[in-house]
Every structure is written in C-alpha cells, then in structure tokens.
Amino acid sequence: MLTPLYWQQASSELALADPVLGSLVERFAGMALVSRADPFLTLLRSIVGQQISVKAADTVWARLQLLVPDITPARILGCPVDGLRGCGLSARKVEYAVDLAGHFASGQIDVERWSRLDDDELVAELTRVRGIGVWTAEMFLIFNQLRPDVLPLDDLGLQRAVAIHYHAGERPARRVLAEHGERWRPWRSVATWYLWRSLDPLPVEY
C-alpha cells in the first residue's frame, strides 16, 4: 500500500490554515490516505459497485474473481458475455466493463503517460470510458493516483461534512463549497479526506 509523501506537510499546513481541519488532523493523527490497487482493477471495481450495496458489490466481485482468477483487460475481453452476466453484472455493466478493458488493451488509456496529465486532463481521459463519470474519475484521482488537490464538488459526503463543520448543518451551495476549497489549495484532496473521516472514521481504500 502507498501513502502519499506529501501527507505530513499537507496535514500540517491545513491544520495551521483552518481550525476545523486542525482539530481533525489531531483527531486522526497516524492515519492517512492509501492506494493499493492497480488502475484497471480499481476502475473495474468502481463499475461493478455502481448503484448497489457494498455487500452486493463484494459478492459480484468474488464471483468475477472465480470466473477470471487473474483479472486483466485481455482476460475480460476474452470472457463471454454470458459468463460476465452470470457473475451478477447487468447487461449495461457488462458493456461498461468491456469498454473499460478495450480502452486499456488498445492503449487509449495509457497509464504511463498519466504523470504528464494534469487533473482535468486525466478526468477527461477517464470519462471517455462508458460508465465512468466525473465523480468516479475524481475518486480515482484521490484514492488510486493520490493526486493532492482534487475537490469533488458533487460528493455528498463532502457537502454534508462542510455543512456540519462550517454552516450549522445547512448544506452549502456549490459556489460556497468551491470557495472553501480555494482556502485549502494545494491540498484539497487531503482536506476532503479529513472531512470524510469526521463522518466515518474508517478510511476508504481503493
């Protein structure tokens, strides 16, 4: 598992700049964002888990691993549709999974060049895949790529946490949320992570 090299610096700077984050940094000392899965598996799992419970997603994923023990783009492309459907994937999710695998296999998604792309460019590349929207791409940038300055404005957890800590429980308008984010630059991913933790102390790992 990988922890960002910038984590200590980001946490310290956010704690000094924002009293709310200062208390959260202290509360969750010793915890950090981590990335452990490869990009294809992370994105495929995000497709599998769309619009179903975590438990159901885990069940489908376990069946997929039985069908394809070593999950790679080529192996997904080689699977018959009936086999993928038999794992519990809907027809639409099968289309999404195959489209994702095709993007990786053809080089349309090239992990090696991602370091040369800024956040917006990488989001644009990922959202060309069917079934991957902006929110999923932003989660990928935060949790898999460990990008330090992503602010997922459409994330309900972030909206709720900002409402609780800064606005007496009233959910902020998108513009107001963006203004908070400006004060957290260049560590908006880190600020978001701490605010998520205030709602759910158990860190999410992708």
Side-chain angles (χ1 to χ4, degrees):
M1 293 190 290
L2 298 174
T3 297
L5 296 175
Y6 57 74
W7 193 260
Q8 201 61 49
Q9 178 188 353
S11 298
S12 298
E13 291 181 6
L14 287 169
L16 288 172
D18 186 318
V20 168
L21 291 174
S23 67
L24 294 177
V25 168
E26 183 177 355
R27 180 177 164 192
F28 298 106
M31 300 170 66
L33 178 67
V34 295
S35 174
R36 61 179 178 178
D38 74 46
F40 176 70
L41 289 180
T42 299
L43 291 167
L44 181 60
R45 187 149 195 170
S46 74
I47 287 171
V48 168
Q50 288 175 1
Q51 298 179 320
I52 59 176
S53 70
V54 172
K55 183 178 179 180
D58 287 345
T59 299
V60 174
W61 187 256
R63 290 174 183 161
L64 185 60
Q65 287 181 309
L66 286 174
L67 177 69
V68 190
D70 180 24
I71 298 176
T72 64
R75 288 179 183 272
I76 291 296
L77 289 172
C79 277
V81 170
D82 288 347
L84 295 172
R85 288 295 306 276
C87 295
L89 291 171
S90 66
R92 178 162 291 180
K93 285 185 181 179
V94 170
E95 292 175 8
Y96 293 167
V98 170
D99 191 49
L100 175 68
H103 274 76
F104 271 86
S106 68
Q108 290 173 275
I109 288 182
D110 180 5
V111 177
E112 297 301 318
R113 62 185 285 271
W114 282 356
S115 62
R116 301 193 297 275
L117 301 181
D118 66 25
D119 294 345
D120 289 339
E121 290 169 336
L122 183 49
V123 167
E125 179 165 303
L126 293 171
T127 53
R128 293 189 189 105
V129 179
R130 295 181 63 194
I132 297 179
V134 171
W135 179 86
T136 299
E138 288 172 340
M139 294 302 103
F140 181 81
L141 263 62
I142 293 172
F143 285 103
N144 186 275
Q145 295 296 291
L146 302 178
R147 297 283 179 114
D149 197 34
V150 178
L151 185 71
L153 292 172
D154 295 320
D155 184 78
L156 296 179
L158 176 61
Q159 293 170 12
R160 184 171 161 231
V162 169
I164 291 169
H165 292 292
Y166 298 91
H167 297 282
E170 182 177 345
R171 187 157 292 180
R174 187 182 176 91
R175 172 186 56 79
V176 174
L177 186 58
E179 288 171 358
H180 278 286
E182 290 303 310
R183 294 195 288 272
W184 301 329
R185 284 182 184 272
W187 310 118
R188 292 180 296 174
S189 301
V190 182
T192 298
W193 185 92
Y194 278 111
L195 288 163
W196 280 331
R197 293 290 65 71
S198 73
L199 301 178
D200 182 1
L202 184 66
V204 175
E205 297 176 4
Y206 281 71

